[in-house]
Amino acid sequence: IKKSKHSRLVLNTLMILNVPFVGVKEIKRLDMKIALILIDPNISVPPKGWGAIEKYMWEYKVNLEKLGHQVELCYPNSTDLDTFDIVQVHTSNQALYLAQRGIPYIFSFDDTHAVYYGKDSELYKNNLKAIEQSELSIMHGEFLLDYFDSDKMVYLEHGANPNTFRNINPTLTYQGHKLLCVGRTDQDDRKGIILSIEVAKELNLPITIVGPNEEFFSNNNIKYDKLTIIGNQNDDELVKLYNEHTIFLHPSKLETGQPNLTLIESIYCGTPVVGTCDIEILGMRNIQPTKESLIEGVNDVINNFDDFQKQCFDLKDSKIYDWHSITKKLITLIKPFFIRKHIHKLKVK
């Protein structure tokens, strides 16, 4: 048993959980049966366009299966959820519904509005309740560990698919710089789209805005002769856009994913980022979400473009943010609950 890497993980985990070693050899399998709870029947997994949660849910599924686990996409009212070793859910209302059903769950927090509207909001209270009733809650921004203040939480970063998001024009010679923003914004302009356009105007640079933002632009009279607006795009279309532009702008006021998906996707395509993030990342120039700071950051990348682009390639080569690497971390986080569940079954027997 000690010759197996997974068996050593079992023994180490049992020691951490203070579980008796009686019956350990009776755990016949270490592959897990995992249910990933779907959110919206109108958004496919993988998504055909916008859908960040659906995107990383698909990456979890693909990479968990590559690592030998059985994964199914289910709705929270599925009648067989009690047959799964792990049930992972992504919204507080679904988590609380599972709690009412007596289904233990892993909660993945993705609700930006629970932070935006503050601790007095029902969104905050419902998410905190979902966290407290979970077996484990996965937060994708480290600042959330302090914001919710629960011992149920751990941090797990987002990633990107290195086979999809890649530099497809390695010999391309750029004729001037082109700015790019990707994301879905709201009327408060949380993503900093208006700020990005103002900076593009100031620097006399072309800028492209990508995402399902039709209502935002219809409600804001934004005019700039070097502005291109593009709607929802799939991953292949995004890869082309990342590669056609030289600098990705992300002066977001608030992100619960730190880093969020688009930052890593852009860097994996060899396109440096100027934006906000709680952590330092190769290929990214961190700024404050102000006009002066964003202009300074863009000029820094322009003046040191080769260095920033090399950092992009170095980050991708490190594989730190590959979804396969992220999924391995996910397994180390959820495996103890699988083991504890099976030990409990053995003790009951």
Side-chain angles (χ1 to χ4, degrees):
I1 189 168
K2 291 183 179 179
K3 292 180 181 179
S4 166
K5 182 178 180 180
H6 287 295
S7 297
R8 289 198 300 273
L9 175 59
V10 172
L11 295 172
N12 290 338
T13 306
L14 292 174
M15 292 173 66
I16 292 170
L17 295 174
N18 195 27
V19 175
F21 285 89
V22 177
V24 172
K25 293 183 180 179
E26 295 182 43
I27 300 179
K28 301 299 183 183
R29 62 183 179 86
L30 288 173
D31 59 299
M32 295 180 283
K33 183 181 178 184
I34 301 170
L36 301 179
I37 302 299
L38 295 163
I39 301 172
D40 187 341
N42 297 313
I43 303 178
S44 63
V45 178
K48 296 177 181 178
W50 178 85
I53 298 175
E54 289 76 12
K55 179 182 286 191
Y56 81 72
M57 191 185 299
W58 178 252
E59 292 293 346
Y60 281 169
K61 174 176 167 59
V62 169
N63 286 284
L64 283 166
E65 289 175 342
K66 285 180 180 179
L67 292 164
H69 303 284
Q70 179 184 342
V71 184
E72 293 184 26
L73 302 175
C74 307
Y75 285 104
N77 60 351
S78 299
T79 58
D80 63 344
L81 289 181
D82 58 348
T83 67
F84 287 85
D85 301 310
I86 298 290
V87 176
Q88 184 170 353
V89 63
H90 298 82
T91 67
S92 62
N93 60 328
Q94 289 182 331
L96 296 176
Y97 174 71
L98 292 179
Q100 289 178 351
R101 290 186 56 192
I103 304 292
Y105 61 86
I106 304 294
F107 181 44
S108 184
F109 174 82
D110 295 285
D111 192 347
T112 303
H113 293 96
V115 181
Y116 180 82
Y117 289 112
K119 293 187 177 184
D120 291 329
S121 68
E122 287 302 311
L123 283 171
Y124 172 85
K125 294 172 184 176
N126 286 339
N127 275 278
L128 180 58
K129 188 175 180 181
I131 291 168
E132 293 291 358
Q133 294 189 23
S134 71
E135 297 293 304
L136 179 75
S137 287
I138 297 171
M139 319 304 278
H140 302 291
E142 288 187 302
F143 77 97
L144 295 167
L145 303 180
D146 292 326
Y147 184 71
F148 282 100
D149 191 23
S150 169
D151 59 6
K152 292 287 188 75
M153 300 182 299
V154 294
Y155 169 71
L156 181 67
E157 54 269 75
H158 283 318
N161 187 324
N163 299 316
T164 301
F165 294 95
R166 64 203 187 282
N167 182 250
I168 59 176
N169 300 310
T171 60
L172 178 66
T173 301
Y174 297 104
Q175 301 298 320
H177 285 279
K178 298 172 66 177
L179 309 178
L180 176 68
C181 289
V182 176
R184 181 179 183 178
T185 195
D186 48 33
Q187 290 311 306
D188 187 52
D189 194 22
R190 177 173 61 86
K191 294 284 186 179
I193 286 177
I194 292 176
L195 174 60
S196 297
I197 295 171
E198 289 176 350
V199 166
K201 284 183 181 180
E202 184 83 14
L203 298 175
N204 194 30
L205 293 173
I207 184 169
T208 302
I209 309 295
V210 180
N213 299 307
E214 294 82 0
E215 183 179 353
F216 175 79
F217 281 103
S218 66
N219 293 336
N220 292 275
N221 187 23
I222 301 172
K223 294 182 179 179
Y224 177 43
D225 59 354
K226 294 183 180 180
L227 167 65
T228 302
I229 301 171
I230 301 177
N232 216 350
Q233 301 286 285
N234 62 35
D235 280 355
D236 290 337
E237 293 166 330
L238 281 176
V239 169
K240 185 178 180 183
L241 286 165
Y242 285 130
N243 277 268
E244 289 174 347
H245 294 75
T246 59
I247 301 174
F248 182 83
L249 300 187
H250 186 73
S252 179
K253 301 173 186 175
L254 174 64
E255 294 288 345
T256 52
Q258 297 278 353
N260 79 337
L261 299 181
T262 56
L263 302 188
I264 305 302
E265 291 171 357
S266 178
I267 290 171
Y268 269 28
C269 290
T271 307
V273 175
V274 179
T276 55
C277 189
D278 285 354
I279 58 179
E280 296 289 333
I281 303 173
L282 288 174
M284 179 173 180
R285 172 62 155 77
N286 272 26
I287 58 141
Q288 297 298 316
T290 66
K291 186 175 181 180
E292 294 74 17
S293 184
L294 185 54
I295 289 174
E296 182 181 337
V298 171
N299 282 329
D300 189 18
V301 172
I302 289 174
N303 294 330
N304 301 280
F305 185 78
D306 290 345
D307 179 55
F308 275 99
Q309 190 171 56
K310 181 181 180 302
Q311 290 181 32
C312 293
F313 299 141
D314 288 344
L315 184 74
K316 185 171 185 180
D317 288 343
S318 75
K319 302 181 185 292
I320 293 173
Y321 289 101
D322 286 12
W323 275 122
H324 194 71
S325 301
I326 302 298
T327 305
K328 285 183 176 179
K329 290 185 179 181
L330 174 67
I331 290 172
T332 64
L333 294 174
I334 65 178
K335 180 76 82 168
F337 302 95
F338 162 77
I339 295 170
R340 185 163 60 189
K341 185 175 183 178
H342 279 264
I343 289 294
H344 176 72
K345 287 181 179 179
L346 289 171
K347 291 170 71 176
V348 169
K349 290 181 181 180

